[in-house]
């Protein structure tokens, strides 16, 4: 823990616990994830988060199967259901960070995005990209 939460952060945490929705029943945006196996992967991750109160999950997918779209759709569900306020997307190359940011911008135009490789951090950004 880096420090104590402020009054606003504490209030957000209380509201999040009481106001967040069931992510296993939140609809998947089919404009983002179009393939059946993407939806199955998203459902399994959401079930893991909901049932086990897990803080992480690993989804293994082959090249070309839509990993970024799965990530965008999962982020969309978690944001709409009130489970997350900010998201950190990490990639191992600058080109992948750029591609991911473009995909998020196309599918989640309402979310504020920042690429830390090229831009300065903005505290109001909801989705942060970096290497």
């Amino acid at each position: 823990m880096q420090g104590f939460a402020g009054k606003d952060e504490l209030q957000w945490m209380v509201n999040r616990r009481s106001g967040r929705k069931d992510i296993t029943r939140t609809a998947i945006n089919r404009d983002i994830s179009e393939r059946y196996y993407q939806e199955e992967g998203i459902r399994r991750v959401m079930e893991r988060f909901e049932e086990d109160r897990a803080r992480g999950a690993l989804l293994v997918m082959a090249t070309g199967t839509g990993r970024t779209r799965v990530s965008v759709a999962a982020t969309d569900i978690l944001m709409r259901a009130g489970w997350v306020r900010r998201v950190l997307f990490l990639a191992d190359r600058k080109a992948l960070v750029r591609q991911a940011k473009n995909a998020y911008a196309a599918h989640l135009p309402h979310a504020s995005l920042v690429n830390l490789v090229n831009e300065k951090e903005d505290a109001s950004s909801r989705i942060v990209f970096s290497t």
Side-chain angles (χ1 to χ4, degrees):
M1 192 169 172
Q2 293 185 4
F4 295 102
K7 184 178 180 181
D8 293 338
E9 292 172 328
L10 289 172
Q11 186 61 49
W12 182 81
M13 287 185 231
V14 169
N15 293 343
R16 181 181 65 180
R17 284 187 189 142
S18 61
R20 66 183 182 184
K21 299 173 188 164
D22 182 357
I23 55 176
T24 60
R25 294 198 173 125
T26 303
I28 297 172
N29 185 342
R30 297 211 172 160
D31 293 333
I32 300 172
S33 63
E34 302 166 335
R35 301 175 186 157
Y36 72 92
Y37 56 85
Q38 292 172 342
E39 291 182 15
E40 181 68 22
I42 293 166
R43 277 289 153 229
R44 296 293 180 163
V45 169
M46 296 304 130
E47 287 170 5
R48 168 118 170 98
F49 287 166
E50 185 72 46
E51 292 171 6
D52 299 336
R53 297 285 185 218
R55 293 189 55 140
L58 179 63
L59 189 59
V60 180
M61 297 175 67
T63 302
T65 57
R67 292 185 304 259
T68 304
R69 283 184 174 242
V70 168
S71 172
V72 175
T75 300
D76 179 49
I77 290 172
L78 292 170
M79 291 175 99
R80 283 188 291 124
W83 279 57
V84 297
R85 182 169 43 174
R86 296 183 78 193
V87 174
L88 174 62
F89 187 101
L90 296 174
D92 63 345
R93 293 183 306 231
K94 292 178 184 179
L96 295 177
V97 170
R98 191 171 43 253
Q99 289 172 0
K101 184 181 177 201
N102 292 339
Y104 271 80
H107 296 292
L108 299 177
H110 62 278
S112 57
L113 313 172
V114 65
N115 179 350
L116 294 182
V117 175
N118 302 328
E119 308 166 39
K120 288 188 176 183
E121 183 176 4
D122 182 8
S124 66
S125 296
R126 301 275 315 263
I127 305 173
V128 179
F129 300 85
S130 189
T131 54

